[in-house]
């Protein structure tokens, strides 16, 4: 029941403001946008002006508010779409990728699938870290739920400034890194634990580049029978639009506009209201009610209410189906009185979903949600295209072409690659190996994350087979990935890992991005999983800077190249621009949530050493390049070459490793990553309560300290059962392996041929490593 033209101005509902734009000059348009915090640029304002001139009327505040949400960088991906399409459109192989909506959906086994998604909540966490992190978890859960999946695992890669940064070094208007980190961890803990979804993977990284703008990325994996898969589009004219979940308030208004600009020293005072308020106690029954409704076939399509609120969700839902809508905002249950129509339209209040329901199913749907004590309200219907007609108590407040509002054209911004001269490799001949090992192991980026991992519930739902911490209860160490068992009836497992390397990407965005994909694959191979899918969160600075956009272009190319070589599908992703402020930017920071398939959960591997006297092997080619390495960061070295790597080689090495694991020829596996072989060996020893004797000369690198600290190329340290060494060597004939040494009952010994470089008291080192983080 839509008309071709909107009502004349006298017919607008009370409380609606008409905003004169048609006859304003450019300066007046810009002033109107700034006064209302809409965030339009000059081209967008001209496009809006042209639209309403054709309509022969002025826009309402409701229409402008909706346009501002949908045209924001956060919602529209207007700067990134051309790059994303070119890089990833061919990495969604049919048969494996079953859906690419709010979350990517991958085939798991016959009749079943899993969903995955990662996104950012960076700006909200800078302003209100507890609430920002908590609602980030809430939002990623809804993304997975919005394709019909039940959330079964969470991940949380986090990036902060140095925890020991003194107060006088914290920029005015910003919070200290220690405060932000502790509150972010608390927010993730309280939301994830209370909603009953395990946090099984993640990472904590430190750098001065993240003092102004911390990065809080959150990922989720869900599971579903394929019959439950639901599209993010409306089905048919006449279907009802039903809002379920939390009440609507003023929290989160303008959240996407806030996320689409850089932080300033006034962000705390100006934008705190843009941070949503989470309610995990409501989220859990919302999930259960939605899943029951899906299973009974009562939901035809749906969207979660995240950035842009009802405006974005309803517009995207009906536009994807080729329809229009009629919605009455006065029907929406409010948390507080006095909200104006435009506020209700774009509020980002949490724990809400919008469902497309056939008229005959509305009563049955309502019964389910009432039983779970979750609010449910019919707010409108799907109509014939192309208009959305928005009302307040039956009176019009907005009338726009849906496609005009929710599908703005992409921006083709200029790019300009930075000059990145590569300097000479440093001379490490003066480094004492014993002191260097201690420094690398006790660096903030290396020390134990157990104090944080323990505050998250990684056991809830009873699916976690390989846990985030590997080894003895008394001295657990870091693993490479977690493995969950989605179905108790099946021994098939799903490995979940995260990966990031902003420092390598700062040196060489394309090569660094490939390195991140390789790290994700190594993490999966190390637990016995074959890489299957990655979803990416691309954290960058201001896209209006041609150099930033050139980095983005190079990064997406590097991610795609490596994903293709490693046969990763890329079914979903997220872009977070405008990270930075006060003259500071962040390095290119692509973050991956990666999944792998485990044929038999009884054949997984962990990183902790298992028995004394076992041989230790290095799998892979060694490289002396130090670009982006922990050593380079500790020494303040930049302009170094990034390891050349090779995802095609890594795939061959990984397949050989999986074969050795299946035959029982690998007792422990750990990939060589941040900190090099020294940190890898220490973590394996800590977890097993054992020691090692290792000859660093066997790496093929010509300097002891360099052999200890180098992180490339893609390599693994493997413990081989002594009784299986012959079988192991036969199975690995086509890949590069060298015997480094063996496990011992205690202490670490690093050698160079016949010369002893260092004897390491591992028990003492473990105690300092275990206490080193200082969080939560």
């Amino acid at each position: 029941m839509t008309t071709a033209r909107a009502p004349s101005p006298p017919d607008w509902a009370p409380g609606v403001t008409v905003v004169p734009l048609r006859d304003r000059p450019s300066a007046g348009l810009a002033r109107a946008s700034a006064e209302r915090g809409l965030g339009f640029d000059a081209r967008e304002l001209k496009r809006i002006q042209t639209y309403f001139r054709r309509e022969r009327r002025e826009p309402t505040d409701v229409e402008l508010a909706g346009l501002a949400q949908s045209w924001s960088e956060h919602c529209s991906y207007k700067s990134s779409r051309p790059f994303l399409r070119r890089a990833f459109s061919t990495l969604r192989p049919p048969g494996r990728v079953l859906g690419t909506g709010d979350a990517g959906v991958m085939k798991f086994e016959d009749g079943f699938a899993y969903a995955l998604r990662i996104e950012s909540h960076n700006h909200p966490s800078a302003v209100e870290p507890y609430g920002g992190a908590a609602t980030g978890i809430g939002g990623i859960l809804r993304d997975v739920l919005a394709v019909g999946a039940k959330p079964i695992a969470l991940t949380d890669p986090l990036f902060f400034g140095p925890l020991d940064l003194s107060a006088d070094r914290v920029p005015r208007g910003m919070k200290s890194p220690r405060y932000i980190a502790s509150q972010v961890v608390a927010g993730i803990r309280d939301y994830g634990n209370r909603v009953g979804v395990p946090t099984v993977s993640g990472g904590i990284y430190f750098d001065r580049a993240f003092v102004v703008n911390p990065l809080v990325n959150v990922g989720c994996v869900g599971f579903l029978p394929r019959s439950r898969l639901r599209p993010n589009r409306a089905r048919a004219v006449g279907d009802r639009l039903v809002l379920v979940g939390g009440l609507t308030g003023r929290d989160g208004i303008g959240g996407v506009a806030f996320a689409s600009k850089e932080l300033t020293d006034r962000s705390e005072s100006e934008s705190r209201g843009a941070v949503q308020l989470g309610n995990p106690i409501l989220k859990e029954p919302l999930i259960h009610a939605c899943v029951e409704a899906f299973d009974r076939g009562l939901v035809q399509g749906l969207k979660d209410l995240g950035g842009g609120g009802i405006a974005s969700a309803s517009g995207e839902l009906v536009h994807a189906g080729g329809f229009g809508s009629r919605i009455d905002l006065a029907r929406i249950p409010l948390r507080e009185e006095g909200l104006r129509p435009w506020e209700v339209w774009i509020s980002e209040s949490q724990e809400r979903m919008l469902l497309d329901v056939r008229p005959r199913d509305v009563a049955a749907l309502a019964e389910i949600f009432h039983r779970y004590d979750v609010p449910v309200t019919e707010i409108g219907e799907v109509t014939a295209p192309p208009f959305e007609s928005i009302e307040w108590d039956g009176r019009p407040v907005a009338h726009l072409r849906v496609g005009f509002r929710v599908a703005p054209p992409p921006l083709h911004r200029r790019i300009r690659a930075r000059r990145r001269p590569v300097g000479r490799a440093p001379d490490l001949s003066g480094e004492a190996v014993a002191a260097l090992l201690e420094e690398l192991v006790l660096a903030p980026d290396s020390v134990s994350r157990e104090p944080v991992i323990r505050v998250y519930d990684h056991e809830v739902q009873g699916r976690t087979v390989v846990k985030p911490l590997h080894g003895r209860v008394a001295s657990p160490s870091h693993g490479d990935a977690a493995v969950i068992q989605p179905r108790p009836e099946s021994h098939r497992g799903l490995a979940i890992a995260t990966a990031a390397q902003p420092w390598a990407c700062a040196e060489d965005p394309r090569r660094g991005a490939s390195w991140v994909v390789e790290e994700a694959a190594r993490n999966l191979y190390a637990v016995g999983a074959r890489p299957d899918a990655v979803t990416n969160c691309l954290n960058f600075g201001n896209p209006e800077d041609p150099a930033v956009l050139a980095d983005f272009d190079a990064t997406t190319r590097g991610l795609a190249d490596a994903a293709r070589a490693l046969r990763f599908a890329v079914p979903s992703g997220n872009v977070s621009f405008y990270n930075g402020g006060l003259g500071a930017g962040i390095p290119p920071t692509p973050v991956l949530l990666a999944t792998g398939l485990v044929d038999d959960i009884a054949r997984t591997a962990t990183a902790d050493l298992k028995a004394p006297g076992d041989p230790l092997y290095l799998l892979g080619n060694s490289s002396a390049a130090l670009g982006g390495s922990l050593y380079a960061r500790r020494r303040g070295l930049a302009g170094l070459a990034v390891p050349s790597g090779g995802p095609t080689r890594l795939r061959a090495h990984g397949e050989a490793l999986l074969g050795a694991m299946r035959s029982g020829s690998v007792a422990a596996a750990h990939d060589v990553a941040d900190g090099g072989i020294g940190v890898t060996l220490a973590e394996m020893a800590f977890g097993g309560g054992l020691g090692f004797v290792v000859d660093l000369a066997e790496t093929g690198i010509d300097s002891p300290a360099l052999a200890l600290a180098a992180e490339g190329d893609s390599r693994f340290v493997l413990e081989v059962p002594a009784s299986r060494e012959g079988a192991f060597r036969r199975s690995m004939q086509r890949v590069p392996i060298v015997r480094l040494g063996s496990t011992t009952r205690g202490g670490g010994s690093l050698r160079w041929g016949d010369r002893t470089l260092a004897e390491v008291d591992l028990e003492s080192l473990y105690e300092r490593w275990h206490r080193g983080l200082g969080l939560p």
Side-chain angles (χ1 to χ4, degrees):
M1 59 158 265
T2 53
T3 58
R5 193 167 298 284
S8 58
D11 293 325
W12 295 121
V16 172
T17 299
V18 173
V19 183
L21 289 184
R22 284 186 299 169
D23 298 324
R24 289 198 181 195
S26 297
L29 292 174
R31 188 161 52 250
S33 176
E35 288 170 352
R36 294 180 173 274
L38 300 174
F40 296 123
D41 65 22
R43 287 172 293 182
E44 291 167 338
L45 287 165
K46 281 294 185 184
R47 188 165 179 253
I48 292 169
Q49 188 180 57
T50 299
Y51 177 91
F52 285 102
R53 282 176 174 172
R54 289 173 180 167
E55 291 289 300
R56 299 197 299 274
R57 67 178 179 87
E58 302 288 4
T60 68
D61 54 353
V62 178
E63 291 169 326
L64 290 177
L67 285 165
Q69 311 314 298
S70 295
W71 291 14
S72 69
E73 190 70 59
H74 185 86
C75 288
S76 71
Y77 286 23
K78 57 191 176 186
S79 297
S80 59
R81 259 185 285 159
F83 303 101
L84 299 175
R85 187 176 297 113
R86 184 192 58 234
F88 302 122
S89 61
T90 62
L91 293 173
R92 296 170 177 172
R96 288 175 61 199
V97 177
L98 307 179
T100 58
D102 284 7
V105 182
M106 298 291 299
K107 180 181 178 181
F108 181 69
E109 59 185 359
D110 288 345
F112 292 90
Y114 71 91
L116 69 161
R117 168 83 174 186
I118 188 171
E119 67 176 23
S120 64
H121 234 223
N122 302 337
H123 279 42
S125 299
V127 170
E128 209 292 271
Y130 179 90
T135 52
I137 294 292
I140 199 66
L141 291 170
R142 292 194 307 276
D143 284 335
V144 164
L145 183 63
V147 296
K150 178 182 178 180
I152 60 172
L154 290 165
T155 70
D156 64 337
L158 310 172
F159 301 77
F160 306 116
L163 296 185
D164 59 356
L165 191 70
S166 61
D168 62 315
R169 303 294 298 276
V170 177
R172 186 170 68 89
M174 301 294 145
K175 295 177 172 63
S176 76
R178 179 170 294 279
Y179 175 79
I180 290 174
S182 64
Q183 291 299 297
V184 164
V185 169
I188 293 170
R189 173 199 67 201
D190 289 350
Y191 201 107
N193 291 358
R194 288 169 182 165
V195 82
V197 180
T199 301
V200 301
S201 180
I204 302 177
Y205 309 83
F206 300 104
D207 195 277
R208 287 183 179 274
F210 304 113
V211 170
V212 171
N213 200 139
L215 303 183
V216 175
N217 290 183
V218 289
C220 184
V221 173
F223 195 72
L224 67 158
R226 291 181 63 172
S227 60
R228 194 196 292 155
L229 178 60
R230 289 293 179 271
N232 298 136
R233 63 177 182 271
R235 182 192 69 94
V237 171
D239 280 1
R240 301 304 190 249
L241 298 175
V242 180
L243 181 67
V244 297
L247 304 181
T248 299
R250 285 193 170 90
D251 56 307
I253 291 177
V256 297
F258 169 50
S260 301
K261 60 184 180 182
E262 291 185 328
L263 294 169
T264 73
D265 57 3
R266 300 183 303 279
S267 294
E268 165 74 23
S269 58
E270 293 177 350
S271 301
R272 178 174 282 272
V275 181
Q276 308 96 330
L277 304 174
N279 183 356
I281 304 305
L282 177 60
K283 176 60 69 58
E284 186 174 10
L286 174 65
I287 292 172
H288 293 313
C290 285
V291 169
E292 182 175 337
F294 301 154
D295 286 339
R296 288 179 56 181
L298 302 177
V299 178
Q300 305 308 308
L302 71 159
K303 287 287 290 185
D304 85 293
L305 269 71
I310 296 169
S312 291
S314 65
E316 292 170 9
L317 182 71
V318 299
H319 183 65
F323 303 111
S325 65
R326 181 184 60 81
I327 294 173
D328 194 327
L329 299 178
R331 296 183 185 179
I332 294 170
L334 303 181
R335 189 190 309 133
E336 54 191 291
E337 295 181 358
L339 268 70
R340 299 178 62 187
W342 73 267
E343 293 176 307
V344 177
W345 186 224
I346 69 168
S347 168
E348 297 177 15
S349 292
Q350 293 287 283
E351 329 311 348
R352 301 181 300 165
M353 307 287 288
L354 186 65
L355 313 181
D356 175 309
V357 182
R358 291 175 297 200
R360 69 173 185 265
D361 293 331
V362 171
L365 180 97
E367 185 276 327
I368 293 173
F369 282 86
H370 288 150
R371 179 158 31 89
Y372 283 98
D373 200 23
V374 174
V376 51
T377 308
E378 182 182 330
I379 65 169
E381 65 179 320
V382 179
T383 64
F387 291 99
E388 59 182 9
S389 295
I390 313 304
E391 301 172 350
W392 185 271
D393 201 16
R395 300 277 299 279
V397 297
H399 186 86
L400 288 173
R401 289 182 177 269
V402 181
F404 174 74
R405 183 171 70 80
V406 305
L411 295 179
H412 297 278
R413 300 186 187 273
R414 292 186 305 112
I415 66 172
R416 185 183 65 250
R418 306 174 199 263
R419 292 184 66 249
R420 287 183 165 93
V422 177
R424 296 180 58 185
D427 180 3
L428 275 66
S429 60
E431 296 274 9
V433 168
L436 181 58
L437 174 66
E438 183 173 303
E439 179 184 356
L440 296 175
V441 169
L442 299 180
D445 282 328
S446 301
V447 292
S448 176
R449 271 45 178 169
E450 182 182 0
V452 171
I453 294 171
R454 291 292 188 197
V455 304
Y456 302 150
D457 189 341
H458 56 262
E459 300 278 11
V460 65
Q461 298 191 19
R463 304 174 193 266
T464 313
V465 178
V466 175
K467 307 180 193 316
L469 294 168
H470 294 188
R472 303 186 308 168
V473 174
S475 62
S477 188
H478 299 150
D480 292 300
V483 178
I484 59 176
Q485 183 182 13
R487 298 179 62 226
E489 304 89 350
S490 170
H491 282 186
R492 194 168 178 83
L494 186 66
I496 301 172
T498 53
Q501 232 293 3
W503 304 281
C505 293
E507 297 281 19
D508 182 335
R510 188 163 186 168
R511 178 67 209 106
S514 179
W515 189 248
V516 176
V517 180
E518 291 181 50
E519 181 186 349
R522 293 197 309 269
N523 288 340
L524 296 170
Y525 282 130
V527 297
R530 178 170 286 107
D532 192 44
V534 290
T535 177
N536 53 64
C537 188
L538 308 179
N539 304 274
F540 282 77
N542 190 333
E544 299 162 36
D545 181 342
V548 169
L549 211 55
D551 287 349
F552 185 85
D553 177 32
T555 298
T556 57
R557 291 175 186 270
L559 293 172
D561 291 344
R564 189 172 293 107
L566 285 158
R567 299 192 182 176
F568 271 123
V570 186
S572 63
N574 174 263
V575 176
S576 175
F577 277 134
Y578 293 98
N579 291 290
L582 304 182
I586 66 165
T589 309
V591 180
L592 302 184
L593 186 167
T595 52
L597 299 177
V598 178
D599 292 332
D600 185 351
I601 56 174
R603 295 288 186 178
T604 56
T606 55
D608 51 301
L609 299 179
K610 304 300 191 300
D614 281 347
L616 290 172
Y617 277 83
L618 181 67
L619 166 61
N621 305 101
S622 295
S623 166
L626 289 171
S629 67
L630 179 59
Y631 176 86
R633 288 160 10 226
R634 299 292 296 173
R635 295 293 180 271
L637 301 173
L640 302 179
V642 174
S644 59
T648 302
R649 286 201 308 270
L650 172 58
R651 184 169 174 272
H653 300 171
E655 289 298 319
L657 176 57
L658 293 180
M661 288 177 172
R662 284 193 298 269
S663 69
S665 299
V666 176
H670 201 10
D671 86 303
V672 180
D674 226 24
I677 281 181
V679 171
T680 301
L681 288 167
E683 289 182 343
M684 297 178 78
F686 292 158
L690 295 171
F692 54 80
V693 176
V694 163
D695 184 355
L696 293 176
E698 294 295 337
T699 64
I701 295 175
D702 61 6
S703 158
L706 187 55
L708 185 77
E711 298 171 10
D713 284 350
S714 278
R715 299 176 296 169
F716 304 84
V717 174
L718 309 175
E719 178 190 2
V720 177
S723 63
R724 299 288 302 172
E725 185 174 11
F728 170 80
R729 293 184 68 91
R730 287 191 296 273
S731 70
M732 307 294 275
Q733 287 179 355
R734 297 187 177 182
V735 296
I737 57 170
V738 294
R739 180 167 174 164
L740 290 175
S742 60
T743 61
T744 65
R745 291 195 176 277
S749 180
L750 296 174
R751 298 181 179 177
W752 191 261
D754 295 332
R755 179 163 57 98
T756 298
L757 300 172
E759 296 290 343
V760 185
D761 183 345
L762 290 173
E763 288 189 11
S764 172
L765 188 60
Y766 171 80
E767 289 303 319
R768 288 179 288 163
W769 176 82
H770 181 256
R771 298 193 305 267
L773 183 60
L775 282 176

